[in-house]
Amino acid sequence: GDVGGALRLRGRGRAGGHGRDRPAHGGARLMPILQAEPFPLDLDLPALGLVVIDMQRDFMEAGGFGASLGNDVSLLRAIIPATARLIEGFRAAGLPVIHTRECHRPDLSDLPPAKRNRGNPSLRIGDEGPMGRILIAGEPGADIIPELYPLEGETVIDKPGKGAFHATAFGDVLKEKGLRQLVFAGVTTEVCVQTTMREANDRGYECILAVDATESYFPAFKQAAIEMIRAQGAIVGWTATTDQLREAIGV
Ligand code: C5J
């Protein structure tokens, strides 16, 4: 069903029907230790999933929303290889990958005027740009970049807000999948990634930020977000690298 009128959920469960009750691979431990900051974390593989936030052309390519705000998108493109390795690792381990896209309905009914009118961008949300209408569902710019495109069967959550829980079925999907621990990747670190991660933390999930698979248009903001997330004994969550995560999930 359509939750809050703003849900566009594609696919069900994960591709290929391999279950999370299956060992990650050939005898891998079900509760490996992730070498994370600020301290190691016991992973519960049957309850672990990857959330890839907003790796859309509108943020990652010239002519999109990010660029319309005056940002240099090349900074974000540097994380594409690490993010691809992280996604491939979760797929190889038989663990779920959930993708999100920040976008709005073509009639803008889920776009608050306060969001549309914010700032002084060269193009506003809903305006016609080189990749179609800016941040509008179904337009080329709002889709996920080809390098990280979801597989058939992977969940894609379209979200009208910065956080993935607001006006979507994201919370229900996490429960349906039996997840308890979430790895976060995507853009931008201090906006959509951090907003989603903080709410997931409040909802009882153990959250891990993949530091080399997330990026900001402002390097200082990324660094600050990483530090504030793991400060005070992992007050929002943990941080780890793609290599550390891949090793822990046995790929
Ligand atoms: C922004 C996002 N930065 N996906 N969106 O506007 O972080």
Side-chain angles (χ1 to χ4, degrees):
D2 218 8
V3 171
L7 163 70
R8 276 126 353 232
L9 175 61
R10 208 187 65 198
R12 292 189 127 257
R14 80 200 64 93
H18 31 243
R20 272 177 295 105
D21 45 358
R22 192 185 63 130
H25 86 60
R29 300 174 51 198
L30 275 179
M31 295 213 53
I33 296 170
L34 174 66
Q35 294 306 322
E37 298 286 341
F39 49 83
L41 173 67
D42 287 330
L43 292 183
D44 178 9
L45 291 192
L48 180 72
L50 172 63
V51 182
V52 185
I53 303 276
D54 299 359
M55 292 297 280
Q56 297 160 256
R57 300 184 63 198
D58 259 326
F59 294 107
M60 308 291 294
E61 295 184 11
F65 180 62
S68 81
L69 296 170
N71 297 304
D72 173 8
V73 295
S74 66
L75 214 52
L76 268 50
R77 298 193 62 79
I79 65 159
I80 294 173
T83 310
R85 284 186 67 241
L86 188 60
I87 292 171
E88 282 157 16
F90 271 70
R91 287 174 180 159
L95 300 173
V97 180
I98 298 170
H99 308 258
T100 70
R101 299 183 292 204
E102 180 178 349
C103 58
H104 295 271
R105 294 180 157 190
D107 66 3
L108 308 186
S109 58
D110 60 358
L111 175 62
K115 182 174 180 182
R116 176 165 156 85
N117 296 331
R118 192 71 52 85
N120 187 26
S122 56
L123 288 170
R124 291 191 185 278
I125 297 171
D127 289 351
E128 197 67 48
M131 293 190 286
R133 294 178 66 201
I134 298 282
L135 281 196
I136 297 298
E139 299 287 340
D143 210 354
I144 293 171
I145 57 171
E147 297 90 331
L148 305 178
Y149 211 72
L151 291 185
E152 199 60 46
E154 287 178 349
T155 301
V156 180
I157 300 279
D158 282 357
K159 62 185 187 55
K162 301 305 182 190
F165 291 95
H166 168 66
T168 74
F170 184 56
D172 294 332
V173 168
L174 299 181
K175 281 189 199 147
E176 266 169 36
K177 291 183 180 297
L179 301 179
R180 199 175 65 72
Q181 296 181 322
L182 303 174
V183 172
F184 285 91
V187 297
T188 61
T189 316
E190 79 283 6
V191 186
C192 292
V193 177
Q194 184 172 214
T195 301
T196 305
M197 198 170 166
R198 284 175 178 272
E199 182 160 0
N201 182 56
D202 282 346
R203 288 175 181 237
Y205 295 93
E206 289 177 323
C207 298
I208 305 127
L209 178 63
V211 291
D212 52 351
T214 184
E215 194 50 89
S216 167
Y217 298 117
F218 306 90
F221 290 178
K222 173 182 175 176
Q223 195 53 37
I226 288 171
E227 284 170 25
M228 64 178 85
I229 280 164
R230 66 189 178 200
Q232 304 175 82
I235 198 156
V236 175
W238 287 257
T239 65
T241 63
T242 292
D243 282 347
Q244 288 168 329
L245 285 157
R246 284 179 58 104
E247 186 178 338
I249 64 175
V251 295

